[in-house]
Amino acid sequence: MISLPSDRAAIALTLTGAQLLQQLLPEVTLWLPADLANPGRVAPPGCQTYAGPLRDHLKHLWQSQQALIFCLATGAVVRLIAPLLQDKSRDPAVVVVDETGQFAISLCGGHRGGADQLARWVAARLGGEAVLTGASTGAGRVGVDVLGEPFGWRRGEGSDWDALSMALAHRQPVSVVQESGSRLWQSARSTEPWWLEADRSAAAQLLISHRAPPAQTYTALWHPRVLWLGIGCERGTPRVVLEQGIEQVLAAQGLAKQAVAGVATLDLKADEAGLVELCNAYDWPLRTLDAQTLSQVTVPNPSAVVTAAVGTPSVAEAAALVASEFGTLLVGKQIFRLPETQGAATIAVALAQRESTGRLGELLLVGTGPGSLDQVTPAARAALVRADAVIGYSLYIELIQPLLRPGQIVEALPITQERARAQRAIELAQWGLSVAVISSGDCGIYGMAGLVLEELRVQAWDGKTPTVAVFPGISALQSAASRLGAPLMQDFCAISLSDLLTPWAAIRERLEAAARADFVTTLYNPRSRSRIEPLSAAQQIFLQHRDPATPVALVRSAYRDSEQITRTTLAELPLEQVDMLTLVLIGNRSTRFYGDWLITPRGYLGFELGSEL
Ligand code: SAH
């Protein structure tokens, strides 16, 4: 899970509380006092126990965890954590849940700690409601101090986030100047506009840049990680030489160290101790490239000496350019030494178009059910909450709108562009975002799950990144059946009449087989404006094998406001009433209407019941 704080501990002091929080396993570690697990009192499986007062144990959890979820009175939690609170940029997220799981309160660390997000997730999992009291939530927009988190941006030095948040809380728009990084945050959900493009008269200024400008020019600063340092060095160059060299180069150009995405060098330097140590200290990835790759890059300062030594005319400049995916070379090769210290380094800096998120993305393939929110599973809700971006057909996004949260990137694409949708989702996940791809009904039944997995396979996916999780939903055949009664009590099948992805000959063959074998048959995608014949062909095929009086039902937009149900027979099926929002259900030999209820008797004695009706 990406968009929630990691290392989450949940704490309950009662068995009821423990049973409630157990529903959050395995995504949290559940802690119970040891005496709850005493002989005679059974602690739920998967729990950890602690001895002594909670106050003492909490000191340890406070240090080691990024988030704490308590099932305890809010007052008790406030007293417990009061002595531990230090700074909202470092304190863990604190969420409090009541014993019935009705409310998940974001108590502390709402934005930077991730408690708002965690409270939403907990509420979704427990079927309750998140209680969020921050001003940005009230205004239905993302918190500015977490704006860059999905993209791995770093907060700049000298930022006054409180001043920025205060301006917004007073409904004063903030001026935003963006010099680098993704502009995707602009498509984040927000109920009211909160920013202006570069307006010096605005109450507060937000700068999004790889530069480190003087503090008085902005209120707060985000640094997208767009700078790639290309580094070459003599064998045995110590970290201090590299570090001071980098600091000098960046300072001279007014570039921010927080905007560094990583270091690129020649593969021979993969084990260069000073370089490895430096990258570990700053958490910079070290990308190594072979001489062959580097020698193909055109650079401003090639060197014959370097070619003679390592087989490429450039290391620093070429490596920076390759790592930045051929962005802009901001700083050409600089040579750096320190007096009385061994070693020497060459440093170049390139600016990438797209920032590194430094995160592993994930794809959440979510089925959102037929349409009404109470038919969405808690797991699917939790997945929607945790996603940075939500991609799907506009109608389905519209239907689940209340489940989305401010700040989420929403990309609604037209219905015909399923493949484009799958590719876009993969691209964002490979970049590092947590992406929910939504389908109505079940995502693996004529849905997006298969398309996304197919596309991934085409791209020689390693099966690990991005990770993929599939969340089932209630498919149209189930929702339609539930509206009709119990028509799927015997063997049944689903056939899609859309010949966009399946040739008509194959569809025809399946229709014939289903009709002959007496399956109750549900027809998905039965008819579009331009595709009328398949449905009438299907009717004719079934008439060859079944009684003209066989019950047929048309369920249109089940569980949506415009739901419509038509009960008819095979012979009288009103073709013109059927459209793409309709599911057609054809009964088997023993299916009967009983009043308004459609029943397919269970088991082989069914025909007797059928004959009585
Ligand atoms: N993944 C979806 C199916 C998508 S194919 C699912 O599992 O339900 C689209 C077809 O599904 C539509 O043409 C229609 O036949 C059917 N369908 C989807 N939602 C429906 C609803 N709420 N009521 C009736 N039919 C529906």
Side-chain angles (χ1 to χ4, degrees), residues 124-145:
R125 283 288 289 265
L126 301 182
E129 216 177 301
V131 181
L132 313 178
T133 53
S136 60
T137 312
R141 64 171 158 69
V142 63
V144 265
D145 54 347

Side-chain angles (χ1 to χ4, degrees), residues 215-229:
Q216 62 271 23
T217 60
Y218 60 88
T219 316
L221 180 56
W222 275 112
H223 294 300
R225 287 191 264 169
V226 282
L227 300 179
W228 280 95
L229 306 174

Side-chain angles (χ1 to χ4, degrees), residues 12 15 62 140 217 233 235 249 311 339 351 357 362 492 560:
L15 272 182
W62 194 262
T217 60
C233 65
R235 182 55 72 190
V249 168
L351 174 72
T357 60
E362 63 176 356
F492 63 89
R560 298 178 196 162

Side-chain angles (χ1 to χ4, degrees), residues 142 147 184-190 194 405-410:
V142 63
L147 181 76
L184 215 52
W185 61 271
Q186 294 181 358
S187 56
R189 285 182 78 241
S190 181
W194 60 270
R405 62 180 166 81
Q408 241 165 357
I409 298 153
V410 175

Side-chain angles (χ1 to χ4, degrees), residues 370 440-442 445-446 475-476 524-526 555 557-558 560 580-583:
S440 75
D442 183 81
I445 298 181
Y446 311 120
S475 188
Y524 282 71
N525 300 308
V555 181
S557 297
R560 298 178 196 162
M580 281 303 269
L581 300 175
T582 310
L583 184 106

